[in-house]
Amino acid sequence: MDYMYAPGKNHLFVPGPVHIPDQVIRAMNRNNEDYRSPAVPALTKTLLEDIKKIFKTTSGTPFLIPTTGTGAWESALTNTLSPGDRIISFLIGQFSLLWIDQQQRLNFNVDVVESDWGEGAKLDVLASKLAADTAHTIKAICIVHNETATGVTNNLSKVRKLLDEYRHPALFLVDGVSSICAIDFRMDEWGIDVALTGSQKALSLPTGMGIVCASPKALEASKTAKSVRVFFDWKDYIKFYNLGTFWPYTPSIQLLYGLRAALDLIFEEGLENVIERHRRLGKATRLAVEAWGLKNCTQKEEWFSDTVTAVIVPSHINSSEIVRRAWQRYNLSLGLGLNKVAGKVFRIGHLGHLNEVMFNFQLLFQL
Ligand SMILES: Cc1ncc(COP(=O)(O)O)c(C=O)c1O
């Protein structure tokens, strides 16, 4: 196979999964442990406390679930909503599309607000829907903070402002899979009711842990929400939180120690410095794309993403070919264009465990 001849480390410039720091790999290199021993609950307690700092919440309740981002979506929806509930959901790219598909399959009444791919959520449409909804039929607003397929970051504080302006009680559910711990994210300040991410993104862990955080209002909603849920039921977690043993079922011990090491690294660097590092790498990527004479798929500066850049290629080139060559020649993984933008864009991921030296993508000039 061609790639066997590409020397060097495999560089993951995809927007997740990302490189895992050596300290985290070492922390996970251990035997299994009995999760009912005193050590695991003690470790879990520190994780639950510290993960809240990443979400910037003091009042939220976190759940560390053996799942991926997709399961975290399902946990957010089924714990807070009932079949038939009207929800507003913004379609701006492949991941918001997949979340909407899940919402529809869970039998919610999804009011889809669609944008061209490369644009952000249409908040003017949200404003008019909230203004018209004096009977409060809208039960939730679902939004992907950072659309990983197009490199578009939505402004969450504006969503909160609109909900407040219209005094609308809808729940505010946010996919922060490619933003939390990399792009400024403030669960409490922005009045987010459920926020979620996956371990393989900015936390730079292996895939396998979905992290969901619920506000007191979301927990209250979960008491009456009628969606069927079993594995994802927050009630089971809370029961074990109250017992002080924390786990309704067997956790991955290795991932828990990995999460401890990942959080320690983030706090050592400083969360604000982590966010600033992503800003720098995001800006550097955009400047490089401009210097190559190529266009960013993201249509306006206000939506530029600091974790992923989708680059539009000239129409005579298939972007998948660039991704293939990068992998074959350089052992370098770039993100493919997905769905509507397949063949038209390739994506450069710049999130997680990455610094300027690791992220030397100048070689792309030679592709
Ligand atoms: C914004 C966003 N949401 C959800 C997902 C789905 O996450 P997972 O693949 O971990 O299920 C992804 C995956 O890349 C994503 O980028």
Side-chain angles (χ1 to χ4, degrees), residues 15-17 67-73 94-96 98-99 144-149 175-179 196-201 207-210 308 338 347:
T67 186
T68 69
T70 306
W73 279 342
Q94 179 64 5
F95 293 99
S96 36
L98 289 172
W99 198 15
V144 174
H145 186 198
N146 184 74
E147 174 50 77
T148 323
D175 168 329
V177 170
S178 57
S179 68
L196 58 97
T197 188
S199 51
Q200 78 277 22
K201 300 286 189 182
T207 313
M209 187 187 282
V308 55
L338 301 173
R347 294 173 300 145

Side-chain angles (χ1 to χ4, degrees), residues 204-250:
S204 305
L205 285 160
T207 313
M209 187 187 282
I211 303 158
V212 178
C213 208
S215 73
K217 185 170 150 188
L219 285 187
E220 205 46 43
S222 74
K223 292 181 186 156
T224 51
K226 294 192 175 53
S227 292
V228 174
R229 53 195 188 269
V230 180
F231 184 75
F232 290 121
D233 202 332
W234 294 345
K235 190 161 39 67
D236 296 333
Y237 276 83
I238 290 166
K239 180 175 145 197
F240 283 90
Y241 287 179
N242 291 336
L243 289 171
T245 49
F246 295 107
W247 295 103
Y249 33 71
T250 318

Side-chain angles (χ1 to χ4, degrees), residues 14-154:
V14 288
V18 305
H19 287 297
I20 304 172
D22 289 343
Q23 294 93 323
V24 173
I25 291 178
R26 283 196 294 273
M28 291 187 302
N29 185 8
R30 58 199 310 135
N31 201 347
N32 278 329
E33 278 179 39
D34 173 17
Y35 68 102
R36 297 291 180 219
S37 75
V40 177
L43 169 66
T44 307
K45 197 161 185 270
T46 72
L47 296 176
L48 291 172
E49 268 316 305
D50 285 346
I51 202 75
K52 292 201 273 184
K53 296 176 189 160
I54 302 295
F55 284 72
K56 294 210 177 123
T57 180
T58 52
S59 59
T61 300
F63 304 99
L64 308 174
I65 309 170
T67 186
T68 69
T70 306
W73 279 342
E74 192 165 331
S75 162
L77 296 169
T78 56
N79 278 284
T80 54
L81 297 165
S82 303
D85 275 355
R86 179 180 174 208
I87 60 182
I88 294 186
S89 211
F90 296 96
L91 199 179
I92 64 165
Q94 179 64 5
F95 293 99
S96 36
L97 177 71
L98 289 172
W99 198 15
I100 287 167
D101 175 56
Q102 186 185 75
Q103 291 153 12
Q104 289 167 337
R105 285 155 71 186
L106 287 165
N107 294 320
F108 304 121
N109 170 12
V110 191
D111 194 340
V112 178
V113 179
E114 188 167 359
S115 303
D116 287 338
W117 290 29
E119 298 200 344
K122 288 189 173 155
L123 299 186
D124 52 334
V125 177
L126 174 65
S128 52
K129 284 183 187 285
L130 291 175
D133 187 35
T134 47
H136 295 164
T137 61
I138 302 165
K139 298 301 175 206
I141 312 295
C142 295
I143 188 165
V144 174
H145 186 198
N146 184 74
E147 174 50 77
T148 323
T150 53
V152 165
T153 306
N154 284 310

